[in-house]
């Protein structure tokens, strides 16, 4: 494959891996917090899609990517509010509502896109990249690792911040208590519903940001159904990561790399049929599950609504 | 205060005063309303009528945190710790999320507690890996760390060894001396007298009587217990259940266990070379400190746990390879000590729970098809025979109180042709009356010629019922003693073996 | 502390038994019907009406078309009935899984692989075997292949305790891709340019009912749901499965083999998902095209939940859902609203039905 | 036969500057030209189309154009069942007089010309093909493009990549894959995809080729020049109006179902769009090639298999 393995190409593969990984990373980090707190947030796909739509809409109208990201967060949080009210406050079934929200957002954003953008397909200008003299000029990894939009680094910083918060503050134990034995947290004076609502909204915000990244940086425009299951991958990453943000990062990078590799294999002219190549990322996750799945311990109260005093 | 639940008045117009400097004992049979009252005081439930006042001011405790803020700390009947968190984390649970755990401060306070109350805890251990007694200490420590004015302990001693209970009692006395009010719930009347300054008795939700400090001081333990029993059950005491039962053992060997061993691991004790034999009509007690292999032995006999070596014989028939279901059909029954998570399926109605171990068997199933009427009939019969308090056989069993669940399970094990029954802590958590009834039932089935293995941590119970007592320690049988009812001397011998002191003396017979 | 990770404990009442629900006699059945069904449906349609008005469409006209085209015309009714068949098999699949405490979220992959194997074999057998045998073989193979696709999640769950949500979801993604690959590389009809399997001639498909266009798959689907419902509620095997779902420790204690029963649950549930695929192919479509994925599985999950795992309730919901799909295809076309609006309608329906359920439970609690 | 109403059924909304839009627009134009009513059923998805077809048949359509390869099993069946004429795609052998006719659309000749043009204009010596999936019509155009490139200059490298599982609407995937292909040296991208093609365009707009020049994009089926920001080189444009018009006329003349229909360079139903980015000289040469194809001097065979495409693209050593 010598001829194709140019520096630029390798660099673009690294870049591709990172670009593909960031939305899943953000979604996975968000879902992780919900799951810790005992909320199985199946609606994350819808939150992401709403984030993509709102993120693009705001970025396009205001011509500011940053406002676009805020819009994405807002979009995700809006959907998450519905989820928080219905599933955490009222205790409705998380699966039913999660699927319902995802379907609803898919329909709604496609509808809005149809009336707003389907005749013009507006696209955003190429995102600004952070140029760190010296680092960005490094061969191969330079442009992919250091030439990204600032939001990429914020996502990485979020990993560290969350890891710090989970480890060093009461946040981690409060979340775990809410997911493991909500009644224990309640009688200890903690606010079970409060922390669960917070976690759900956080998931919405992160998923929305991930969606906005997908639309604004990843694609440069909004297309209906464009998340295409990235939220579900986020759920899987969160479950595999056993509560550790760093593992979500590793997982999303591996998944992103696998996606990027499918391009590499094809561009290199591999004779393996495309469909087989495209199974690789999922097969890789299955392999991880077969090898290490038994360690993916989930919180005891995951998916169960908490009602005080009920037995 | 009044609190109603569908179909039940759990707390019926009860007025109580709790004074600082007093241990106020709440007594009452199962389902009398004690835990409900605790629930109201700890903010888990709101009363339908009546009110609460703190230091003379009306207060509303709408949530557990309101109750904690009002200075009321509660140690609940069932553990309220998060098993996957560390001890330190459980101690700080409920603090604002953005704070850092004040480790140094808590360590310092724990030092004080250690001095004052002999409470000592490994702060960084994972809670779920500690013994139940230590876990309870965490809950008590947590209550103390909060500088509460009122401390509630709901059946706090049921998990503890006699020494542990003794220590707790002393601790309570120290606490009230420092100005707290302690509310203490127990089913052990002697404890109530020894550690309590004031005793209130609940009966079917209503206040049946109260004994103040002066009154209590003027009574001996026996007098006090008599009075309490009269208040609780409306009958005279006298059935001193510690009377030694006359042996009904016959010659025939009912169950024989030879050189049985099982695999152990980090969580579960392995068994080593256990041999034991049981005659028909005999009750063999298994004594030992909780967690020394008793449960594993019961499970191995029932077929629930794989053996690494050894054999089991039932009435001369080798059943080593038989499954749980086969053993059950041959008449070997096992009453688990874990009635909620192992013995019953809380969401299923009582009727289905009565036949869970006979799924697919006639007459409840014919060709695999369920006969709901037969099952319901069977369940109603069982409810009647064992006086289960329930609205009906279709009630999900999880809604019953622990004691009533226990009766259902007991009925399930005794139905059909039982020949040998293994009881694991059959009376744990029951009220006096139910304990009595259960013990009588055990004695009676032995009298009918069934072999009984009675696992218990309660020596009184073992000494009252057993023909012989085997003592387990470290997954082995440390010795088997004839129960001659000789009281203190025997008790001392057993106690030594429980501590692993007396040397290995294998079972004979 | 009861573990609440599995679906059967999400709603203990439902898992308990259908029979136990006879307690709430105070309010009339009619009132309950209002809160649980009619009210939410009306609310959902109102909510969606607002969105319709926002995009400038008269909701009354829109809903008129839906009713007219799905229920009030014989053609519409036939279409609705035909659409139900695969959904019903999926309902059967999910009732087994959910009542047995297993989250089988991988029905899409199982469905497609079942469909592919049925489409790959049935056309080849025409003429070799009698017509009914062709169909039977197709169905059996589909069930088998669906079940096989659940083996890895089943083994991991039964013997390693790996959460099946992740594994079934991943196997589903994989299954969808594999189905497409198989169509292109293994079972492709050599006579077409489009990658698709051979086509089972219309005459050899499941017979239609009477003189209509309704596939008899509907009947088999109904039978499947009823049988599964009875199996789960009225047989010893069903109780064993439910017990494993509700409390595995108690099941072990009662002498049941939890791993084997878990495997059985996966096998049956995935098998029925495979049957769903076969019913769509052998009843309606006749072949499988590469990249075809109707993704019915995700949609059926909420329906089964809202029916509280009850077979008859699920049948009613599937009927409504099918009618909605059929009717709104038509309404959308006539009024120039993108099809996607149907998703909005379905979503509001799910959410409102969920809310209705909540209100109903609260009322019942108060009455007790 | 009397024809007063026709219908077109498309899997997606007819506003995609591509397959669906061209179909809907052409059907409208053909209806207008022949003076018949038209029913437009858009966004029917790729699932079972029998229900809407039956309904449209009941609504009185005399011809249903089932404009998706996924509809070519249902189409003939419904024609048989309802007696209404149905036109399907990608099934050259499926002809039933009066009932079923096929119109297999392939712009492979146009793609061939685009390939010639691309090979003339590449400065890096590498071009890329990015597709969101591998349906036959796209394969035939990918193959045509690759053949054109090779015929023009065998030294030009051709890179090929299919986006991924969520491809049709995966705009981000389109962007990502196209970026990689550009980084691997391509400076002209031949892109085929629905929603994802907008991601490809975005990548073309926001990346520079390895030699620092601008990257150009070649689109298919529809004409996106009104959305262009200076990177569209050309588009292999399809116009189905002649096909649909012929169908209606045939149906009226009772000749429907006796032959298939196709698009070709000859009647401009396949043609290249000229944009300001096109080099004049190259354009003239390509137009000369067009004449040769029409005259039959150059033969371009359609190749519908994915393997054929892969056999034509460059394999790295
Ligand atoms: N949540 C509830 N729903 C319905 N009935 C209840 C509920 N909680 C308590 N009850 C009823 O209230 C009564 C009192 O229950 P409570 O738990 O207070 O008993 P208790 O005195 O604590 O018994 P124990 O000694 O067994 O702990 C019971 O008889 C029960 O029927
Ligand atoms: N959620 C509930 N719904 C209905 N009834 C309940 C509920 N919770 C408790 N009860 C009732 O409360 C009573 C007492 O419950 P609880 O578990 O406190 O009993 P308990 O005091 O622990 O009994 P025991 O001493 O026998 O273990 C039971 O009789 C039960 O009927
Ligand atoms: Mg109690
Ligand atoms: Mg109790």
């Amino acid at each position: 494959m010598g001829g194709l393995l140019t520096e630029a190409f390798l660099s673009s593969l690294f870049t591709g891996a990172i670009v593909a990984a960031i939305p899943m990373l953000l979604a996975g980090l968000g879902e992780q917090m919900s799951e810790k707190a005992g909320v199985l947030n199946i609606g994350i796909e819808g939150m992401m899609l709403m984030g993509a739509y709102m993120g693009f809409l705001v970025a396009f109208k205001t011509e500011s990517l940053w406002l676009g990201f805020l819009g994405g967060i807002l979009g995700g949080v809006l959907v998450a509010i519905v989820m928080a009210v219905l599933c955490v406050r009222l205790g409705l079934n998380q699966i039913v509502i999660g699927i319902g929200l995802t379907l609803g957002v898919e329909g709604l954003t496609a509808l809005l896109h149809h009336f707003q953008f389907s005749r013009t397909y507006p696209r955003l200008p190429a995102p600004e990249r952070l140029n760190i003299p010296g680092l960005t000029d490094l061969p191969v990894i330079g442009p992919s690792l250091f030439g990204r939009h600032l939001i990429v680094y914020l996502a990485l910083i979020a990993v560290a911040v969350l890891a710090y918060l989970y480890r060093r503050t009461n946040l981690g134990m409060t979340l775990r208590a809410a997911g493991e034995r909500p009644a224990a947290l309640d009688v200890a004076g903690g606010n079970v519903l409060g922390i669960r609502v917070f976690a759900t909204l956080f998931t919405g915000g992160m998923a929305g940001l991930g969606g906005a990244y997908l639309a604004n940086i990843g694609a440069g425009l909004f297309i209906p159904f464009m998340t295409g299951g990235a939220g579900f991958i986020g759920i899987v990453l969160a479950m595999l990561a056993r509560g550790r943000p760093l593992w979500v990062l590793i997982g999303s990078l591996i998944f992103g790399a696998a996606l990027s590799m499918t391009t590499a294999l094809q561009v290199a002219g591999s004779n393996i049929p495309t469909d087989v190549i495209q199974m690789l990322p999922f097969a890789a996750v299955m392999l991880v599950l077969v090898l290490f799945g038994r360690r993916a311990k989930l919180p005891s109260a995951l998916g169960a609504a908490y009602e005080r005093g009920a037995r | 205060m009044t609190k109603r639940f569908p179909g039940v008045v759990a707390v019926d117009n009860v007025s109580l005063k709790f004074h600082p400097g007093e241990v106020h004992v709440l007594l009452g049979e199962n389902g009398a309303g004690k835990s409900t009252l605790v629930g109201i005081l700890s903010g888990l439930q709101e009363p339908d009528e009546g009110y609460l006042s703190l230091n003379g001011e009306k207060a509303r405790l709408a949530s557990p945190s309101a109750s904690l803020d009002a200075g009321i700390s509660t140690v609940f009947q069932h553990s309220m710790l998060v098993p996957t968190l560390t001890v330190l984390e459980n101690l700080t649970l409920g603090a604002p999320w953005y704070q850092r755990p004040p480790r140094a401060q808590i360590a310092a306070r724990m030092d004080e507690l250690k001095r004052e109350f002999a409470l000592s805890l490994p702060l960084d251990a994972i809670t779920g890996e500690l013994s139940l007694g230590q876990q309870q200490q965490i809950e008590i420590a947590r209550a103390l760390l909060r500088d509460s004015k009122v401390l509630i302990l709901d059946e706090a001693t049921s998990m503890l060894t006699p020494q542990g209970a003794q220590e707790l009692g002393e601790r309570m006395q120290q606490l009230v001396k420092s100005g707290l009010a302690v509310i203490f719930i127990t089913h052990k009347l002697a404890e109530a007298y020894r550690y309590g300054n004031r005793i209130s008795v609940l009966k079917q939700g209503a206040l049946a009587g109260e004994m103040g400090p002066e009154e209590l001081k003027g009574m001996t333990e026996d007098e006090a217990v008599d009075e309490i029993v009269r208040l609780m059950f409306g009958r005279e005491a006298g059935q001193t259940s510690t009377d030694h039962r006359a042996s009904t053992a016959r010659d025939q060997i009912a169950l024989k266990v030879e050189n049985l061993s099982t695999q152990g691991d980090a969580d579960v004790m392995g068994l080593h070379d256990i041999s034991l034999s049981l005659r028909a009509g005999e009750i063999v007690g298994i004594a030992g400190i909780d967690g020394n292999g008793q449960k594993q032995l019961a499970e191995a006999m029932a077929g629930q746990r794989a053996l690494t070596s050894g054999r089991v014989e039932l009435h001369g028939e080798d059943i080593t390879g038989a499954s749980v279901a086969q053993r059950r059909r041959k008449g070997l029954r096992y009453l688990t000590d874990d009635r909620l998570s192992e013995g019953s399926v809380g969401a299923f109605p009582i009727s289905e729970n009565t036949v869970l171990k006979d799924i697919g068997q006639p007459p409840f199933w014919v060709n695999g098809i369920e006969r709901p009427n037969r099952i319901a009939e069977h369940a109603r019969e069982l409810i009647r025979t064992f006086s289960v308090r329930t609205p009906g056989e279709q009630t999900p069993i999880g809604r019953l109180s622990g004691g009533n669940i226990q009766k259902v399970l007991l009925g399930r094990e005794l139905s059909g042709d039982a020949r040998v029954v293994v009881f694991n802590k059959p009376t744990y958590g029951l009220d006096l009356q139910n304990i009595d009834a259960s013990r009588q039932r055990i004695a009676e089935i032995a009298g009918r010629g069934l072999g009984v293995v009675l696992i218990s941590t309660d020596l009184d119970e073992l000494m009252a019922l057993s023909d012989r007592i085997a003592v387990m320690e470290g997954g082995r049988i440390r010795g088997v003693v004839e129960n001659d009812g000789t009281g203190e001397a025997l008790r001392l011998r057993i106690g030594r073996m429980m501590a692993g002191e007396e040397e290995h003396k294998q079972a004979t017979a | 502390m009861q573990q609440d990770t599995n679906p059967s404990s999400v709603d203990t009442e439902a898992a308990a038994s259908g029979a136990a629900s006879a307690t709430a006699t105070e309010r009339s059945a009619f009132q309950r019907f209002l809160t649980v069904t009619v009210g939410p449906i009306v609310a959902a349609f109102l909510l969606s009406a607002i969105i319709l008005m926002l995009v400038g469409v008269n909701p009354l006209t829109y809903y008129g078309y839906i009713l007219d085209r799905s229920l009030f015309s014989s053609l519409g009714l036939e279409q609705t009935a035909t659409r139900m068949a695969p959904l019903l098999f999926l309902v059967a699949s999910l009732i087994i899984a959910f009542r047995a405490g297993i989250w089988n979220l991988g029905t899409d992959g199982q469905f497609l692989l079942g469909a592919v194997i049925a489409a790959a074999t049935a056309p080849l057998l025409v003429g070799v075997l009698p017509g009914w045998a062709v169909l039977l073989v197709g169905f059996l193979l589909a069930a088998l292949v669906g079940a096989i696709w659940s083996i890895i999640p089943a083994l991991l769950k039964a013997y390693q305790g790996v959460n099946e949500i992740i594994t079934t979801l991943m196997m589903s993604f994989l299954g969808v891709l594999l189905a497409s690959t198989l169509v292109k590389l293994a079972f492709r009809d050599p006579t077409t340019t489009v990658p698709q399997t051979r086509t089972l001639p219309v005459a050899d498909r499941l017979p239609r009912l009477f003189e209509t266009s309704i596939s008899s798959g509907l009947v088999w689907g109904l039978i499947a749901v009823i049988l599964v419902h009875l199996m789960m509620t009225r047989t010893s095997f069903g109780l064993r499965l439910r017990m494993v779902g509700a409390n595995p420790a108690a099941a072990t204690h009662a002498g049941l083999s939890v791993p084997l029963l878990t495997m059985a649950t996966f096998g049956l549930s995935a098998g029925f998902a495979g049957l769903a695929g076969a019913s769509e192919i052998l009843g309606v479509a006749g072949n499988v095209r590469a990249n075809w994925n109707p993704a019915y599985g995700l949609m059926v999950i909420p329906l089964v939940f809202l029916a509280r795992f009850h077979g008859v309730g699920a049948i009613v919901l599937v009927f409504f859902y099918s009618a909605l799909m059929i009717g709104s295809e038509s309404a959308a076309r006539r009024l120039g609203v993108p099809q996607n609006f149907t998703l909005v309608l379905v979503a509001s329906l799910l959410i409102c039905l969920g809310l209705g359920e909540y209100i109903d439970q609260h009322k019942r609690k108060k009455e007790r | 036969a009397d024809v007063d109403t026709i219908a077109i059924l498309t899997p997606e909304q007819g506003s995609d500057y591509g397959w669906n839009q061209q179909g809907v627009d052409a059907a409208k134009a053909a209806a207008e030209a022949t003076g018949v009513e038209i029913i437009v059923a858009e966004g029917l998805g790729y699932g079972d189309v029998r229900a809407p077809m039956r309904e449209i048949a009941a609504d009185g359509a005399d011809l249903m154009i089932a404009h998706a390869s996924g509809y070519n099993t249902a189409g003939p069946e419904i024609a048989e069942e309802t007696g209404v004429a149905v036109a399907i795609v990608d099934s050259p052998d499926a002809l039933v007089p009066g009932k079923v006719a096929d119109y297999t659309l392939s712009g492979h000749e146009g793609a061939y010309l685009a390939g010639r043009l691309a090979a003339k204009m590449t400065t890096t010596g590498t071009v890329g093909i990015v597709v969101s999936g591998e349906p036959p019509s796209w394969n035939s155009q990918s193959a045509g493009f690759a053949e054109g490139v090779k015929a023009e200059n065998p030294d030009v490298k051709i890179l090929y990549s299919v986006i991924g599982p969520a491809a049709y609407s995966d705009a981000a995937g389109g962007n990502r894959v196209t970026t990689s292909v550009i980084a691997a040296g391509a400076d002209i991208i031949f892109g085929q995809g629905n929603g994802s093609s907008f991601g490809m365009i975005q990548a073309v707009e926001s990346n520079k080729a390895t030699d620092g020049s601008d990257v150009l994009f070649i689109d298919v089926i529809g004409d996106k020049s009104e959305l262009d920001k200076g990177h569209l080189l050309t588009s292999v444009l399809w116009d189905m109006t002649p096909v649909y018009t012929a169908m209606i006329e045939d149906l009226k003349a009772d000749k429907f179902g006796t032959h298939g229909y196709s698009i070709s360079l000859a009647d401009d139903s396949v043609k290249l769009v000229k944009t300001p980015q096109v080099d004049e000289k190259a354009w003239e040469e390509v137009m000369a090639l067009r004449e040769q194809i029409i005259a039959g001097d150059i033969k371009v065979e359609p190749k519908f298999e994915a393997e054929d495409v892969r056999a034509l693209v460059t394999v790295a050593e």
Side-chain angles (χ1 to χ4, degrees), chain B residues 11-280:
Chain B
V11 175
D12 188 3
N13 194 19
V14 170
S15 300
L16 283 172
K17 285 199 179 75
F18 303 105
H19 306 272
E22 269 184 19
V23 174
H24 191 140
V25 182
L26 280 183
L27 294 173
E29 58 182 315
N30 293 136
K34 307 178 298 292
S35 294
T36 306
L37 207 52
V38 171
I40 293 171
L41 291 176
S42 57
L44 282 177
Q45 289 176 325
E46 290 204 71
D48 298 323
E49 283 159 32
Y51 64 92
L52 201 94
S53 63
L54 295 165
N55 301 325
E57 280 175 44
K58 275 200 188 178
R60 179 168 168 267
L61 301 179
S63 69
S65 60
S67 164
L68 290 168
D69 289 344
I72 303 173
S73 286
T74 311
V75 177
F76 290 89
Q77 189 170 353
H78 305 281
S79 163
M80 280 296 181
L81 298 172
V82 184
T84 51
L85 295 182
T86 64
V87 173
L88 178 71
E89 286 172 325
N90 266 305
L91 289 174
T92 47
L93 201 59
W97 68 265
Y98 46 84
Q99 285 177 0
R100 303 186 53 154
R103 199 199 145 86
Q105 198 188 327
I106 290 196
R109 289 292 317 274
M110 287 304 295
D111 274 349
E112 285 175 34
L113 291 183
K114 190 172 176 180
R115 264 179 277 121
E116 287 175 37
F117 302 108
L119 273 174
S120 141
L121 291 167
L123 284 185
D124 295 311
I126 299 293
T127 305
E129 291 169 4
L130 300 180
S131 72
L132 290 178
Q134 273 177 305
Q135 293 192 24
Q136 196 173 43
Q137 288 192 20
I138 301 174
E139 301 208 59
I140 293 171
R142 181 162 74 182
L144 296 179
L145 285 174
R146 289 186 188 270
D147 292 322
S148 334
K149 301 189 201 59
V150 181
L151 175 62
I152 305 175
L153 300 164
D154 191 354
E155 296 197 28
T157 52
S158 59
M159 287 288 178
L160 300 184
T161 56
Q163 289 92 327
Q166 171 93 30
E167 279 171 27
L168 181 65
E170 283 158 17
R171 239 171 249 154
M172 286 193 297
Q173 283 304 332
Q174 271 169 297
L175 284 171
V176 295
K177 279 195 196 103
S178 66
L180 268 77
V182 172
I183 302 172
F184 179 58
I185 294 172
T186 181
H187 286 298
K188 298 180 183 151
L189 306 190
E191 281 178 359
Y193 174 79
R194 269 179 236 154
Y195 312 134
N197 304 104
R198 183 188 294 273
I199 295 178
S200 297
V201 178
L202 290 175
K203 187 173 177 183
Q204 289 179 7
L207 192 60
E210 187 160 338
M211 293 184 270
E214 299 76 26
E215 197 179 340
L216 275 176
K217 272 190 196 121
M219 291 185 190
T220 64
E221 181 168 334
D222 283 346
E223 286 167 359
V225 168
D226 280 353
E227 172 65 7
I228 295 167
V229 170
R230 198 185 55 73
L231 289 172
M232 277 174 73
F233 302 114
R235 68 175 161 89
E236 297 300 323
Q239 273 144 306
T240 40
S241 48
T242 43
D243 268 356
H244 180 47
R245 162 187 153 272
S247 175
T248 54
R250 306 170 189 183
D251 290 341
Q252 192 191 8
I253 303 280
L255 182 75
K256 193 162 168 186
V257 172
E258 281 175 353
N259 308 102
L260 181 150
S261 300
T262 66
Q263 187 70 44
D265 63 31
D267 302 329
V268 179
M269 178 154 298
L271 298 178
H272 308 282
D273 205 26
I274 301 239
S275 296
L276 192 70
S277 78
L278 170 73
R279 282 172 293 161

Side-chain angles (χ1 to χ4, degrees), chain B residues 6 304 324 334 336 340-345 347-349 352 356-357 359-360 365 368-370 399 412, chain C residues 12-13 15-17 20 233-236 239-240 242-243 246-247 249-250 252-256 365 368:
Chain B
Q304 228 176 295
V324 171
Y334 166 40
T336 173
L340 288 182
S341 51
E342 187 172 76
S344 60
V345 180
F348 288 6
E352 279 181 350
L356 280 185
K357 287 190 167 183
I359 299 179
W365 278 269
I369 308 293
E370 188 176 318
R399 297 226 185 109
R412 181 171 80 194
Chain C
T12 49
E13 304 273 315
S17 155
T233 54
R234 293 277 175 271
T235 69
S236 54
L239 180 58
R240 288 194 179 104
R242 282 194 288 131
M243 190 172 174
N247 187 345
T252 307
H253 176 65
L256 304 184
K365 242 182 226 167
R368 262 204 309 240

Side-chain angles (χ1 to χ4, degrees), chain C:
Chain C
M1 175 97 205
Q2 166 74 36
Q3 305 272 305
D4 271 328
T5 330
N6 71 55
S8 68
S9 56
V10 169
D11 187 358
T12 49
E13 304 273 315
S17 155
S21 60
T23 43
T25 43
E26 286 85 351
R27 255 169 336 122
S28 69
F30 178 68
Q31 268 177 312
R32 273 208 64 205
F33 185 66
L34 281 185
T35 24
V36 186
T37 15
V38 178
I41 291 177
V42 171
F45 277 77
L46 281 178
L47 200 66
S48 307
I50 297 173
I51 295 173
L52 276 179
M53 289 197 290
L54 287 181
V55 299
V57 172
N58 182 346
L60 289 182
T61 328
Y62 191 92
Y63 295 147
Y65 277 128
I66 291 189
L67 281 181
D68 186 44
R69 289 294 156 165
S70 63
L71 298 175
F72 295 163
S73 77
S74 66
L75 180 60
L77 208 53
E78 287 174 22
Q79 314 269 27
T80 300
T82 300
R83 184 62 59 91
M84 286 173 71
L87 302 182
L88 288 175
F89 281 103
L90 285 171
V91 163
S93 160
L94 293 177
I95 286 180
I96 296 174
F98 291 168
R99 278 198 185 252
I102 301 287
W103 290 108
N104 180 4
L105 299 190
T107 47
D108 279 342
Q110 296 149 7
F111 173 97
L112 276 178
L113 289 172
V116 166
I117 197 70
T121 49
L124 294 178
L125 294 175
V126 171
V128 179
L129 293 176
W132 61 268
V134 172
L135 296 173
L136 186 66
V137 170
F139 271 104
L140 288 180
L141 280 176
L144 188 69
V145 167
I148 287 175
W149 202 244
S150 74
I151 282 187
I152 295 180
L155 286 172
L156 286 175
K157 169 80 177 181
Y159 296 98
Q160 305 264 313
V162 179
N163 182 283
E164 72 280 10
I165 295 182
I166 335 178
T167 52
T168 55
L169 213 52
M170 278 295 116
M171 287 305 280
S172 190
F173 283 128
L174 264 180
V176 169
L177 289 168
L178 179 64
S180 176
T181 309
L182 286 175
V183 170
K184 288 180 189 168
L185 301 182
F187 302 132
R188 178 158 178 186
D189 181 351
T191 64
T192 59
T193 51
V194 187
Q196 63 186 31
T197 63
R198 289 183 177 79
T199 304
L200 185 67
V202 178
D204 294 310
R205 290 181 204 161
L206 284 174
R208 293 182 177 180
L209 291 179
F210 315 109
E211 295 297 293
T212 69
S213 62
I214 305 175
S215 161
S216 52
L218 172 72
V219 177
W220 294 112
L222 288 172
I223 291 175
V225 174
I226 299 294
L227 278 183
V228 159
H229 179 76
L230 292 177
M231 177 184 86
M232 292 311 285
T233 54
R234 293 277 175 271
T235 69
S236 54
F237 182 63
L239 180 58
R240 288 194 179 104
L241 293 186
R242 282 194 288 131
M243 190 172 174
V244 170
N247 187 345
T252 307
H253 176 65
L256 304 184
S257 167
V258 175
L260 285 184
L261 289 166
T262 303
M263 300 284 294
T265 303
F266 272 100
L268 281 172
S269 172
F272 272 99
L275 290 181
S279 84
E280 179 75 351
I281 299 311
L282 303 179
V284 180
N287 62 21
V288 175
R289 300 183 303 278
N291 301 320
W292 173 66
N293 177 16
Y296 290 142
L298 196 64
M299 201 45 248
V300 173
I301 291 171
L303 300 184
V304 173
F305 260 97
L306 289 172
R308 299 168 145 239
F309 315 146
H310 197 285
V312 178
I315 290 173
V316 173
L317 285 177
V318 163
F319 174 71
F320 275 121
Y321 174 68
S322 303
L324 194 61
M325 295 306 286
I326 295 293
S328 51
E329 266 171 16
S330 174
R333 168 166 67 79
R334 280 150 208 276
L335 296 172
V337 183
Q339 286 288 331
N340 303 318
F341 177 73
T342 313
L343 288 175
V344 178
L345 191 50
V346 168
S348 9
L349 210 53
L350 286 180
I351 291 171
C352 291
L353 282 170
L355 273 173
E357 185 81 353
Y358 169 80
I359 293 169
D360 178 60
Q361 270 177 12
H362 262 240
K363 280 193 178 168
R364 274 198 290 175
K365 242 182 226 167
K366 277 200 191 122
E367 275 166 16
R368 262 204 309 240

Side-chain angles (χ1 to χ4, degrees), chain D residues 187-219:
Chain D
D187 64 345
I188 296 179
I189 302 292
F190 180 71
Q192 312 190 76
N194 303 351
S196 60
S197 65
F198 293 98
M200 301 176 200
I201 293 175
Q202 170 76 4
V204 164
E205 286 168 354
S206 49
N207 287 288
K208 289 279 184 212
T210 43
D211 66 356
S213 61
D214 273 357
V215 185
L216 295 173
F217 187 70
I218 303 177
D219 191 38

